[in-house]
Amino acid sequence: MSEPQNDRLRFALLPIPKSIALVWLNIVLSLVLAAIGLGVGFAQGKLAAQEVILFTVLLAALVFVLLNYVAIVFEGRAAAGADEEQTQAESGRIRSLWHNNRVMIVAMAGLLILYLLVTAGVPEFRSIKNLIAFLVLELILIFAFKVSGYFASGRSAFIGLIVLLALIIISAFSIEGFLSAPNIRAILLFAAFLGIASVGQTMVALLGGLDLSIPYVIGSSNIALLFLITLGVPSYVAFGFILVLGGVVGLLNGIMSYRLQGQALIVTLGTGFAVAGFTQIMTSIGSQYAGNVFGTVPHWLSSLAAMNGRFFGLPFPPTIIIWVVIALVMIVGLRTTSWGRNLYALGGNRRSASLIGISEFKYWISCYVISGVFAALAGCLLLGWSGGAFIGVGDPYLFTTLAAVVIGGTSLLGGNGGYGFTVIGVLVLQVLTSFLLGIGLEYEWQQFIFGLLILPMVALYGRSPHIRSTV
């Protein structure tokens, strides 16, 4: 078919420019205008939500067609006198443009879809302020994607920090009192709980493993500690004993998952169920309340983790300081000690590491033991925060420990990442949670948004070459 026939066909059916870049540009412009129209429509409140969404879709389609028509007209003028070789070069540049920016385009489109869904489902979210915040976040994402290319070694950390900064700015802009001292203290305290629970998940992830027993160890430690205290065991002794039991659970996880290579997910999940069930059986003997233990939490433990706890007279809980110390030790230890370097070597290429005498079994077991100990520590600290023992206190950490590791940029395949990346992921999750609560979203919406957040982050970090490809 000749070129004039092609042009006539493009005009007769659906005007589509030859340039893929122009097509994507028109899509973005149409969606942005549609988002503005959607926000204005909901803000006015004169139409039903279904009608606003229908008119928004029609507006996006109409704008897209008109922009394509204009683009084709200009393409026809610009193409006059151009030879076939120039056209091929332009096509190559366009393909390269799409290849280099496809993750950014998909992430921005996903964020737009998320904004439209939340706006349609949550009436409180329909405001000009939130629309402006969304547009600002889109601009910050473009900046993060473009500038991150200059940070080859710390790309994920840079993007994580930019996203964290963007969330803080948008939350402060959208929610009154977000940067108040009580709210910041609450964010840091819950980040400390999650950060401590995520230590083990980070360690096993660096080896290419997973630990799904963490939430069950947290819940079991929570009720077992108070149960021992009510039996008359000194609180400090009971606290240390629970940490030892957490390490024993990690030891069992490590041995079984190592012997059954590739089955860490199932093994740790089964172990978690067994531990939680056994703990409930033991603590409910003589009581009609399974999964709950009633008693008095020691004052020192409450002061350690309660929201109104104080650290040497300063008005913030000591748990935050504990997390900071743990984070510093983990970051420095993983990067500067031979143990940490060997861990990265095993996660990157087990066969090569074994050839230089690194014992995979010892490191595998050690990481799972560490995971069990820190999960138990998180459960004990949560007892001090809540003042009561409940087996389900660890349930949210089944998802969030994994989310913190992935969003931070640690590869679940092993050998790439670190606890510093997890700290960024933890802060992103906690600031995002505070923002979602501030705008009135229910727990189900939070889970939905967390899941959508993981997908582009995994795609983004997946673009970086894995360490195995460089060994």
Side-chain angles (χ1 to χ4, degrees), residues 211-213 215-216 253 263-274 398:
D211 189 357
L212 298 189
S213 69
Y216 306 102
N253 276 331
Q263 305 300 325
L265 187 150
I266 302 300
V267 169
T268 56
L269 187 61
T271 303
F273 280 134
L398 175 62

Side-chain angles (χ1 to χ4, degrees), residues 142-393:
I142 295 175
F143 170 78
F145 273 92
K146 290 301 182 182
V147 178
S148 65
Y150 297 99
F151 298 87
S153 59
R155 186 167 186 261
S156 57
F158 173 79
I159 293 179
L161 289 173
I162 292 297
V163 172
L164 177 61
L165 179 62
L167 287 173
I168 293 174
I169 294 174
I170 292 173
S171 300
F173 179 75
S174 304
I175 302 172
E176 184 178 355
F178 181 83
L179 294 180
S180 63
N183 191 57
I184 293 176
R185 186 164 57 245
I187 290 175
L188 291 177
L189 179 60
F190 287 111
F193 292 138
L194 177 57
I196 292 172
S198 300
V199 169
Q201 197 70 268
T202 304
M203 299 291 285
V204 298
L206 287 174
L207 281 179
L210 283 175
D211 189 357
L212 298 189
S213 69
I214 289 176
Y216 306 102
V217 175
I218 291 175
S220 300
S221 302
N222 188 266
I223 64 173
L225 176 58
L226 189 56
F227 178 73
L228 292 177
I229 293 174
T230 56
L231 292 179
V233 179
S235 58
Y236 292 102
V237 176
F239 187 89
F241 183 66
I242 292 300
L243 297 186
V244 172
L245 289 182
V248 172
V249 174
L251 178 65
L252 294 176
N253 276 331
I255 293 174
M256 290 188 292
S257 61
Y258 182 82
R259 298 302 179 189
L260 301 172
Q261 285 291 325
Q263 305 300 325
L265 187 150
I266 302 300
V267 169
T268 56
L269 187 61
T271 303
F273 280 134
V275 169
F278 179 76
T279 305
Q280 290 182 83
I281 292 172
M282 296 302 297
T283 56
S284 61
I285 295 177
S287 171
Q288 59 180 337
Y289 301 104
N292 294 276
V293 175
F294 300 96
T296 302
V297 178
H299 177 71
W300 66 268
L301 186 57
S302 297
S303 300
L304 201 64
M307 192 71 72
N308 59 352
R310 302 183 73 85
F311 179 75
F312 290 106
L314 299 177
F316 57 87
T319 295
I320 299 174
I321 302 301
I322 294 174
W323 180 45
V324 171
V325 173
I326 291 172
L328 291 176
V329 171
M330 289 293 300
I331 294 170
V332 174
L334 286 174
R335 292 295 180 181
T336 62
T337 65
S338 59
W339 194 91
R341 290 190 292 269
N342 290 343
L343 183 66
Y344 280 102
L346 277 170
N349 193 310
R350 298 181 184 181
R351 179 170 298 180
S352 298
S354 63
L355 291 177
I356 60 175
I358 301 175
S359 173
E360 180 185 354
F361 177 75
K362 292 180 180 179
Y363 279 85
W364 188 273
I365 298 298
S366 299
C367 288
Y368 275 96
V369 170
I370 291 172
S371 179
V373 170
F374 278 99
L377 176 60
C380 294
L381 292 175
L382 283 168
L383 176 64
W385 168 76
S386 64
F390 173 52
I391 188 66
V393 70

